[in-house]
Amino acid sequence: MGSGGGEFVALLKQRNYQPEGIEPNVGYGNFARSSYGLPIHLGMLGQVLQNLQPQSYDVITAFHVFEHVNRPATWLSQIHQLLKPGGVLILEVPNILHTRCAPNNVFFKAHLFHYSPNTLRAMLAGQSFSWLDSDTGEQEGIIRMAFRKEQQPDAYFYDRSAEVKKIIEAHEKRT
């Protein structure tokens, strides 16, 4: 998802995987197609979904895409449809708990939603994905998480009010 200029998809192809990309930016998508000969679907996931085979993907990656999605639950449902049983979704998003950068870098205008490791994990649990692994990077500015497709929602739900309070307090200290 969000294959950009196709570099990551091209690396996968070089390693004999059978990757495909989805890119909403026509310029980037056409560049990836012409420069690397890649199968890139142009448009948003909802626009190209009918052209994709359900339950046919082992792994789907979305690096710095999910925070831009305007209907995350719908998007996750669509991803769920595409993954094979037991398939893996790998997400990378900015970490809302990261306080060692300017607020405009955390609350970037194009980011429609903001996530912490716990809120991301809870959201995906409710959409029938189980958590496999995570990493917050060297300076904790990003979250990388891997999830497995399940047949029913995970039981990982809890009261997140303490988490929200922690986020607000951390950001209030900086202003």
Side-chain angles (χ1 to χ4, degrees):
M1 301 296 141
S3 56
E7 294 82 2
F8 182 66
V9 181
L11 285 171
L12 293 173
K13 184 178 177 183
Q14 285 177 358
R15 286 168 175 72
N16 296 319
Y17 291 100
Q18 298 171 349
E20 294 177 49
I22 295 178
E23 176 53 48
N25 182 293
V26 175
Y28 282 136
N30 284 334
F31 175 84
R33 285 174 168 178
S34 63
S35 297
Y36 302 112
L38 298 172
I40 303 294
H41 304 275
L42 299 176
M44 303 297 276
L45 177 58
Q47 296 168 321
V48 301
L49 191 60
Q50 70 276 1
N51 300 327
L52 305 174
Q53 185 67 35
Q55 296 193 29
S56 62
Y57 297 89
D58 295 305
V59 177
I60 294 177
T61 62
F63 304 133
H64 294 271
V65 170
F66 193 55
E67 66 273 19
H68 300 274
V69 173
N70 65 348
R71 292 193 311 262
T74 299
W75 189 86
L76 288 170
S77 175
Q78 293 167 338
I79 295 293
H80 199 274
Q81 292 172 30
L82 293 173
L83 283 169
K84 290 179 180 178
V88 174
L89 170 62
I90 301 172
L91 295 176
E92 183 175 283
V93 298
N95 185 355
I96 189 67
L97 298 178
H98 182 61
T99 58
R100 291 180 282 186
C101 64
N104 61 333
N105 288 339
V106 175
F107 299 104
F108 186 64
K109 292 177 188 177
H111 294 171
L112 304 177
F113 292 93
H114 303 279
Y115 301 97
S116 71
N118 286 336
T119 60
L120 189 61
R121 187 172 169 188
M123 173 169 239
L124 273 93
Q127 298 295 318
S128 301
F129 288 93
S130 61
W131 174 78
L132 292 174
D133 197 10
S134 60
D135 175 31
T136 55
E138 286 184 27
Q139 299 192 11
E140 300 180 359
I142 59 167
I143 305 164
R144 276 184 220 98
M145 285 191 161
F147 298 90
R148 182 177 313 284
K149 174 184 176 176
E150 302 293 349
Q151 295 309 309
Q152 59 189 4
D154 193 346
Y156 184 81
F157 288 101
Y158 59 92
D159 176 9
R160 291 187 302 277
S161 60
E163 177 82 10
V164 171
K165 183 179 178 185
K166 182 179 173 184
I167 291 168
I168 292 169
E169 288 173 352
H171 288 286
E172 283 177 344
K173 288 179 185 177
R174 295 180 7 201
T175 57

